[in-house]
Amino acid sequence: MIIGNGQLANAFRNSDSHDVVIFASGVSNSSCTQLSEFKREEELLLKSLEEFRDSKFVYFSSCAISAENYKLNPYYLHKIDMENLINSRSSHPIIIRIPQLFGCLKQHSTLINFLYNSINEGKEFNLYSDAHRYVIEINDIVKITNRILQKEDGKFLIDVANPYRYSVMEIVDIMERLLDKRARYSIIDLSDKYELNLKNLLEFTANENLKFDFGKGYLLTHLKNKVGNRK
């Protein structure tokens, strides 16, 4: 059972299973502060947990929750609340914490899409001087999640991200190169970053012989075809 109709939900359509629930209908914008959006997700989550209490229940949370000494905004605090709901009401909770997710490049408020569209359309934006983000491509999330579902039958929690942490300036540079356009931005002297310990992910992928092209070149490699297909 797949709950949701966005890119992440659609990426799981080919692996749909009657005894697994993929909850991919949550709030995706980490800057969101709208209580109505948080409430909408909570109500749908409670309804789904009641209906599928005994199924493996996959929920996508945020890697930022795992970081030490990172100030959590309302979005991240909401994600913690949703994790607690799942852990208390599901027999088989599988919580996958993800960073900046990207797939098809489209009009969307998430970071990769926002930067792509702003640069492509010549729109000016603000850029923190010391901002860093981890990323992961949707298809890699699907591969890892499907393997977790094959191997794990109880409570499970893991952070899933490309281990290389990009500065947002690096991401802008990559977009400029791929689009052959100059970004228009103003620098704001602020810091926004955290560090992840991805030992569990790397051990899991190694034990399961899952191979990914993780590293500094990951984002450029995965964006190259996406940008090329839109030109």
Side-chain angles (χ1 to χ4, degrees):
M1 178 67 178
I2 297 170
I3 300 173
N5 53 19
Q7 283 193 78
L8 184 57
N10 289 331
F12 280 95
R13 296 299 177 195
N14 291 334
S15 52
D16 197 358
S17 173
H18 71 280
D19 60 345
V20 173
V21 176
I22 304 290
F23 189 91
S25 186
V27 181
S28 61
N29 182 1
S30 62
S31 298
C32 180
T33 59
Q34 296 180 40
L35 294 179
S36 60
E37 285 298 296
F38 298 152
K39 190 65 175 176
R40 178 196 64 78
E41 178 180 348
E42 181 180 357
E43 290 175 351
L44 180 58
L45 184 58
L46 285 169
K47 179 181 177 182
S48 302
L49 287 166
E50 182 65 27
E51 185 175 356
F52 302 104
R53 180 180 293 273
D54 296 323
S55 300
K56 290 183 180 180
F57 199 100
V58 178
Y59 180 77
F60 297 99
S61 187
S62 172
C63 284
I65 296 171
S66 301
E68 294 184 7
N69 303 317
Y70 185 66
K71 185 177 181 180
L72 300 180
N73 65 18
Y75 169 85
Y76 299 124
L77 295 174
H78 165 74
K79 286 297 184 183
I80 292 174
D81 289 342
M82 298 305 97
E83 288 188 10
N84 290 336
L85 273 180
I86 295 165
N87 284 325
S88 65
R89 296 174 183 245
S90 173
S91 301
H92 307 284
I94 296 174
I95 295 173
I96 300 176
R97 292 177 176 171
I98 57 177
Q100 291 293 325
L101 191 65
F102 66 96
C104 296
L105 295 167
K106 61 177 186 176
Q107 290 288 347
H108 201 277
S109 57
T110 49
L111 179 67
I112 302 297
N113 290 281
F114 169 78
L115 291 175
Y116 169 80
N117 286 297
S118 295
I119 296 170
N120 191 42
E121 296 170 12
K123 295 180 179 178
E124 189 169 355
F125 56 92
N126 294 326
L127 194 64
Y128 286 6
S129 59
D130 187 29
H132 292 71
R133 290 292 183 269
Y134 293 90
V135 303
I136 192 75
E137 206 271 338
I138 285 176
N139 290 329
D140 286 345
I141 284 289
V142 173
K143 291 175 188 175
I144 293 170
T145 301
N146 284 339
R147 186 59 61 88
I148 289 170
L149 287 168
Q150 292 172 10
K151 302 297 291 188
E152 301 297 332
D153 202 29
K155 184 176 180 179
F156 192 76
L157 168 68
I158 193 169
D159 290 282
V160 176
N162 172 26
Y164 181 82
R165 186 181 69 164
Y166 294 89
S167 72
V168 177
M169 182 64 78
E170 282 183 279
I171 299 175
V172 169
D173 288 343
I174 290 170
M175 291 292 189
E176 287 181 322
R177 289 160 57 190
L178 291 174
L179 289 167
D180 194 26
K181 294 182 178 181
R182 296 289 294 176
R184 299 174 60 230
Y185 55 83
S186 299
I187 298 290
I188 299 177
D189 188 19
L190 287 173
S191 178
D192 185 7
K193 60 185 179 181
Y194 58 82
E195 291 189 17
L196 294 175
N197 182 345
L198 294 165
K199 178 182 177 182
N200 290 342
L201 171 67
L202 298 178
E203 287 181 350
F204 181 84
T205 55
N207 291 338
E208 294 301 314
N209 198 30
L210 291 171
K211 300 186 184 301
F212 299 95
D213 54 346
F214 287 150
K216 184 176 181 179
Y218 178 87
L219 185 60
L220 175 62
T221 299
H222 285 261
L223 285 178
K224 191 177 294 184
N225 288 336
K226 299 178 189 300
V227 172
N229 290 337
R230 289 178 63 90
K231 286 185 174 181

